[in-house]
Amino acid sequence: MLGAGPSDTLHKDPTPAPAALPKVDELGVTSAPLKSASFFIGAHCKDYNEDFMLCKAESRDPAHCLKEGRRVTRCATDLINKIRENCLKDWDRHWDCLEKENQDLFACRRYERPLNKCMFENLGLKKEIPGTPAGKLPIHEKKNPLFVQQQK
């Protein structure tokens, strides 16, 4: 039986953010929609992400990069809204599959392909996996990929 102990209450920091920082709403999506859109967010918000990472390398003080972090959040929010406007049906199917399949991308490839197509046709964004060898077909574009046991 759960009591009314400290772990049963939601902690909310009462300290307001500095007035100099503009208010930015949360994205309002859970991990599955974020994972589904992650490669597109990476492509769409690349410049903002790079600025944020460079800022984080300058200082370990969390307050130092709040402005850059808010820019990344605004950019991701902008893309999520564009996905909802242009590819909602395909996106919903893909992230719903991820939700049901323990976020396993391989299990949801059949829903990923229509989403990738919609994103490219409507928003001009293409899924690119960092580190894919040049001249090789990326795994998400293979029709019948073969998987073999890898020794670790």
Side-chain angles (χ1 to χ4, degrees):
M1 183 169 155
L2 293 175
S7 64
D8 295 336
T9 59
L10 178 66
H11 174 72
K12 184 172 181 178
D13 188 355
T15 311
L21 292 174
K23 170 107 172 74
V24 177
D25 291 328
E26 296 291 326
L27 288 176
V29 293
T30 60
S31 59
L34 276 177
K35 186 168 187 174
S36 176
S38 63
F39 289 97
F40 303 115
I41 292 172
H44 184 71
C45 303
K46 183 178 184 200
D47 294 336
Y48 296 113
N49 286 330
E50 288 176 354
D51 286 346
F52 178 74
M53 295 309 292
L54 288 171
C55 181
K56 293 293 283 182
E58 291 173 4
S59 172
R60 293 182 55 114
D61 178 17
H64 181 68
C65 300
L66 288 175
K67 183 172 68 171
E68 289 80 1
R70 281 168 164 53
R71 287 181 182 146
V72 172
T73 303
R74 274 194 215 100
C75 181
T77 301
D78 175 58
L79 182 62
I80 295 293
N81 290 333
K82 287 178 181 178
I83 294 172
R84 286 179 175 145
E85 291 169 9
N86 294 286
C87 301
L88 181 63
K89 182 179 72 171
D90 294 323
W91 187 46
D92 279 349
R93 271 189 255 174
H94 185 242
W95 73 255
D96 187 52
C97 177
L98 288 172
E99 189 77 30
K100 292 176 182 170
E101 296 292 338
N102 199 26
Q103 308 227 2
D104 181 16
L105 288 170
F106 172 73
C108 300
R109 294 280 187 231
R110 69 178 178 264
Y111 300 112
E112 182 181 343
R113 287 185 184 100
L115 174 62
N116 291 346
K117 183 177 183 211
C118 180
M119 292 294 290
F120 182 73
E121 290 174 354
N122 293 310
L123 300 175
L125 294 172
K126 185 176 182 197
K127 178 178 177 178
E128 292 186 23
I129 300 175
T132 300
K136 296 273 187 174
L137 187 64
I139 187 69
H140 66 281
E141 292 181 8
K142 291 184 178 184
K143 298 292 183 211
N144 296 309
L146 297 176
F147 293 95
V148 294
Q149 186 72 25
Q150 290 185 342
Q151 185 175 357
K152 291 186 178 187

